[in-house]
Amino acid sequence: MSSDSGLLQSIKYTRGQKFQVLDQLRVPHEHEYRDIKTVADGVDAIRTMQVRGAPLIAMVGCLSIVTDMDGKDFKNAKDFLAYIEVQVQALIDARPTAVNMKREGTRLINFVKQQIVLTEDITELKLRVIEWIEELVKTDLETNKAIGDHGANDIIKRAQAGGNVNVLTHCNTGSLATSGYGTALGVVRSLFQKGKLDHAFCTETRPYNQGSRLTAFELQHDKIPSTLVCDSAVSWLMKSRKIAAVIVGADRVARNGDTANKIGTYQLALVAKAHGVNFYVAAPFSTIDGNTASGESIVIEERSPTEVTHIGGKPICPAGINVWNPAFDVTPAHLITGIVTENGVIEPEQLSKKIDEY
Ligand code: MRU
């Protein structure tokens, strides 16, 4: 979804009438929407990456439950709860690394457990679930704007000589990955809106090219001064241009601050450290997984070799070559300057304490 005027909407949803997702496999050249009528449709859209980005995966997953349960009969409230539990698990399994679907799905199950104590009326229970999920989508946008401002203020505060800044981002964390505005890209948007951005660089983000297809599209749309670079150009970029900060999103932040994010993030953090560049992770507080002690136990999704061997359906390497295609990596906490959340910028060493406070 997006409230950024004129930008493509990642979700089109009207209660009781329609739920469609933008097929991000076709962006930027085609803007096709796909109907999501069932949880199976939602799982398929998430698995094939027609929708992607940790917050959006959770919202699409939850909204697919809204359309799936429409018109379905349930014997009783217990039966309804069992149905919700099964659907949530199918959606969590669609992509295992991002914590957002697991977290929102678990909260939804707990919400239904609380509600069935209050009412056993199925129509009423369905309505409460719909309202709960719609609120989730609404809150995401407000969260992103707060993340954007906290991140931008911190970058400005730390910028030497107080001038305008150049920043680098990776993957797509913008309107197309969220309900609107974005997380790491929200920080870039906020810097731009405050008149403090000199230039934004974005990586291609091989193999799936979320950077060149989606982030470049969003930056151009917003008329943000920006340049696309190959993933392999980032060391030279940091050596030859003054970069104030690297800002990336997150799929899961462990209690100790280790962060799973799009493959290539770890090497960006290493390069940033080598060049004395501040490295920020921007994510809603809900992406912090207090139950995961460190990055060691985060499951890293591995995807099809064809994402590496083919571009636009065309082979770019000899047939039969072995391919390893991890979709994410884990950046150790000691390489991270700050984790930008809607509650402010948190140093990784303070994270565990903050998790217990909130
Ligand atoms: O494989 P993707 O495109 O779902 O990966 C996306 C990322 O890694 C993002 O940085 C993360 O999900 C945060 S999106 C706000």
Side-chain angles (χ1 to χ4, degrees):
M1 203 173 281
S2 170
S3 67
D4 313 320
S5 63
L7 190 53
L8 286 174
Q9 289 177 268
S10 54
I11 299 173
K12 288 184 178 174
Y13 167 77
T14 312
R15 188 192 290 187
Q17 287 176 31
K18 76 166 174 194
F19 173 35
Q20 294 180 316
V21 296
L22 176 68
D23 180 353
Q24 296 193 23
L25 294 167
R26 294 164 179 252
V27 178
H29 304 298
E30 291 169 48
H31 306 159
E32 295 263 330
Y33 285 82
R34 168 189 177 169
D35 288 326
I36 303 289
K37 295 194 168 137
T38 62
V39 166
D41 288 344
V43 167
D44 184 66
I46 292 167
R47 199 169 273 150
T48 58
M49 290 176 68
Q50 284 178 319
V51 294
R52 30 66 51 201
L56 185 65
I57 288 171
M59 285 181 280
V60 167
C62 287
L63 285 170
S64 77
I65 296 178
V66 170
T67 50
D68 193 280
M69 70 186 184
D70 191 29
K72 269 204 169 65
D73 286 332
F74 297 93
K75 279 198 291 266
N76 50 43
K78 212 172 132 228
D79 192 31
F80 180 66
L81 172 62
Y83 160 84
I84 296 284
E85 285 172 332
V86 169
Q87 307 314 315
V88 164
Q89 194 54 52
L91 289 158
I92 293 171
D93 292 343
R95 289 194 78 194
T97 303
V99 73
N100 305 53
M101 185 62 232
K102 181 162 191 243
R103 185 183 168 109
E104 302 312 343
T106 307
R107 286 181 56 231
L108 176 61
I109 289 168
N110 289 337
F111 174 74
V112 174
K113 282 182 182 161
Q114 286 161 10
Q115 297 307 307
I116 62 179
V117 176
L118 305 174
T119 176
E120 300 230 330
D121 183 87
I122 300 294
T123 310
E124 180 59 27
L125 282 172
K126 279 185 179 178
L127 182 63
R128 290 184 191 184
V129 165
I130 293 170
E131 284 169 352
W132 188 92
I133 291 172
E134 288 176 353
E135 186 60 28
L136 181 78
V137 177
K138 204 174 125 224
T139 314
D140 183 71
L141 184 61
E142 291 153 15
T143 299
N144 293 340
K145 295 215 161 136
I147 290 172
D149 281 345
H150 285 306
N153 290 339
D154 206 82
I155 291 169
I156 294 164
K157 195 176 77 194
R158 288 177 198 252
Q160 284 156 8
N164 284 7
V165 295
N166 295 324
V167 296
L168 168 66
T169 190
H170 186 54
C171 195
N172 175 263
T173 59
S175 287
L176 295 171
T178 62
S179 65
Y181 204 68
T183 56
L185 203 53
V187 176
V188 177
R189 283 197 160 100
S190 178
L191 280 168
F192 179 62
Q193 283 159 5
K194 289 175 195 298
K196 287 290 179 184
L197 182 74
D198 196 11
H199 210 83
F201 292 88
C202 70
T203 60
E204 277 184 301
T205 322
R206 275 285 289 149
Y208 183 78
N209 290 315
Q210 291 94 325
S212 53
R213 292 187 304 104
L214 309 177
T215 301
F217 173 78
E218 290 199 36
L219 287 166
Q220 264 197 341
H221 174 276
D222 282 17
K223 301 191 172 41
I224 294 176
S226 51
T227 297
L228 173 68
V229 294
C230 292
D231 297 1
S232 45
V234 295
S235 307
W236 194 239
L237 176 72
M238 285 191 227
K239 174 82 180 158
S240 48
R241 305 279 181 101
K242 197 164 156 13
I243 303 292
V246 177
I247 317 145
V248 299
D251 286 80
R252 188 182 298 240
V253 181
R255 183 173 269 274
N256 73 342
D258 290 353
T259 296
N261 191 51
K262 179 51 51 193
I263 190 75
T265 302
Y266 179 25
Q267 70 199 22
L268 271 177
L270 287 167
V271 172
K273 185 64 126 194
H275 291 87
V277 171
N278 292 319
F279 186 89
Y280 291 89
V281 169
F285 206 80
S286 57
T287 302
I288 300 165
D289 181 4
N291 297 321
T292 296
S294 76
E296 290 288 314
S297 49
I298 298 177
V299 177
I300 298 296
E301 173 191 5
E302 294 189 10
R303 294 187 59 84
S304 163
T306 53
E307 287 181 356
V308 178
T309 57
H310 289 64
I311 291 186
K314 293 212 166 62
I316 53 161
C317 56
I321 186 74
N322 288 329
V323 171
W324 181 46
N325 184 19
F328 303 98
D329 58 26
V330 176
T331 299
H334 69 89
L335 296 175
I336 298 168
T337 310
I339 298 160
V340 187
T341 72
E342 66 274 30
N343 303 324
V345 182
I346 306 167
E347 288 176 16
E349 307 81 61
Q350 301 299 319
L351 189 61
S352 186
K353 200 169 119 237
K354 291 281 179 199
I355 292 170
D356 296 333
E357 273 172 27
Y358 285 109

